[in-house]
Amino acid sequence: MERKTKFDYAFKLECIKLVLEKHSSIESVSNQKGVSKSNLGKWVGFYKQYGFIALLPRKNQSYSVNFKLKVLKAIDKDFLSLRETCLKFNIPDAAIIVKWQRDFANFGLEGLQSKPRGRPKSMNINNRKKRKSDKPLTREEELLLENEALRCENELLKKLQALIQAEEKARKRKP
C-alpha cells in the first residue's frame, strides 16, 4: 500500500522550476499554487541539495541511535537550525528532530532507541484453548458440555425476550 501524499512529484517539480528557472519568488509561487511558503522553501532546499530524489515520497525510515546522536551533536556544535539540520542530514521533517531532542532530554541514550511499532502481543499461554484430545469424552464430560450449551442458549433466549419486550414498550409509548 502506497503512502498518500498531499502534493505529487510533478506538482512539486513544477513549483520548484517556477522558483529556480523562472526566478519567481517563493511567496508569489506559494500564493499562485496554494502551497505554504515553508513547504515550498523546504522543497527548494532539498532539491538544490539532493536533486530529483528529494521530491519523491519517502517511506517511514528508521534511524540508528548513532545517527540520531550525530544529528543532535551537530545542532549543538554547529548551531544549526532545524531546517538546516533537515537539509544537511536529509531528514524529511523537523518534527522528527524535535522528538529526538525531547526523548534525549528526558531519557538520555535510552530515549533514542527504536521502539517497537504496533500493538504489543499480550497473549497469555495459559489462556489458550485446550487442544482437543483424541480420547473420546466420558459420559459425565458430555453431560457437562451439553449442560453448558443449554445454559448459554437459555441466557440468549432471555436476552432476546428482554429486547423484544423493550421494543414493544417503546412502540406503545410513541403513538
Side-chain angles (χ1 to χ4, degrees):
M1 189 170 133
E2 212 172 295
R3 202 171 148 208
K4 185 178 177 184
T5 55
K6 189 170 182 180
F7 302 106
D8 65 345
Y9 175 78
F11 179 78
K12 290 178 184 179
L13 189 61
E14 179 185 342
C15 292
I16 289 170
K17 284 188 177 182
L18 283 174
V19 171
L20 296 178
E21 293 175 5
K22 306 273 179 158
H23 303 293
S24 300
S25 71
I26 288 179
E27 187 171 353
S28 67
V29 173
S30 74
N31 289 336
Q32 179 185 353
K33 296 291 184 178
V35 181
S36 70
K37 290 184 275 186
S38 63
N39 267 350
L40 188 54
K42 187 167 67 170
W43 295 344
V44 169
F46 274 109
Y47 180 78
K48 285 179 179 177
Q49 186 87 16
Y50 301 104
F52 294 102
I53 296 171
L55 302 179
L56 296 173
R58 301 182 193 198
K59 301 281 185 199
N60 289 337
Q61 290 179 310
S62 60
Y63 301 96
S64 70
V65 176
N66 290 336
F67 178 77
K68 294 175 186 179
L69 199 57
K70 179 180 170 185
V71 169
L72 296 178
K73 284 182 180 177
I75 290 171
D76 290 338
K77 186 179 127 199
D78 300 335
F79 303 107
L80 297 174
S81 70
L82 290 176
R83 177 173 274 172
E84 290 170 338
T85 308
C86 287
L87 280 173
K88 183 175 180 179
F89 294 100
N90 196 15
I91 299 171
D93 193 21
I96 297 170
I97 300 171
V98 171
K99 184 180 181 322
W100 294 347
Q101 288 174 326
R102 186 175 56 242
D103 289 346
F104 186 69
N106 292 336
F107 307 108
L109 278 177
E110 290 291 319
L112 297 179
Q113 297 287 338
S114 296
K115 288 134 190 104
R117 297 179 63 128
R119 191 177 204 172
K121 293 181 181 178
S122 61
M123 188 170 167
N124 193 348
I125 295 171
N126 298 334
N127 291 344
R128 288 186 181 173
K129 291 184 178 178
K130 294 179 181 175
R131 296 177 78 193
K132 292 184 179 179
S133 62
D134 295 335
K135 291 189 252 177
L137 297 175
T138 64
R139 179 73 180 141
E140 184 182 351
E141 290 172 332
E142 286 178 5
L143 289 173
L144 286 172
L145 285 174
E146 183 181 356
N147 196 4
E148 187 179 344
L150 289 171
R151 279 192 188 125
C152 289
E153 183 180 352
N154 194 11
E155 289 294 319
L156 180 69
L157 291 173
K158 284 181 184 177
K159 288 183 181 181
L160 180 63
Q161 187 63 32
L163 279 172
I164 291 171
Q165 288 175 357
E167 286 179 0
E168 287 176 1
K169 281 184 181 178
R171 269 193 234 130
K172 287 180 182 177
R173 290 181 186 167
K174 281 191 177 181

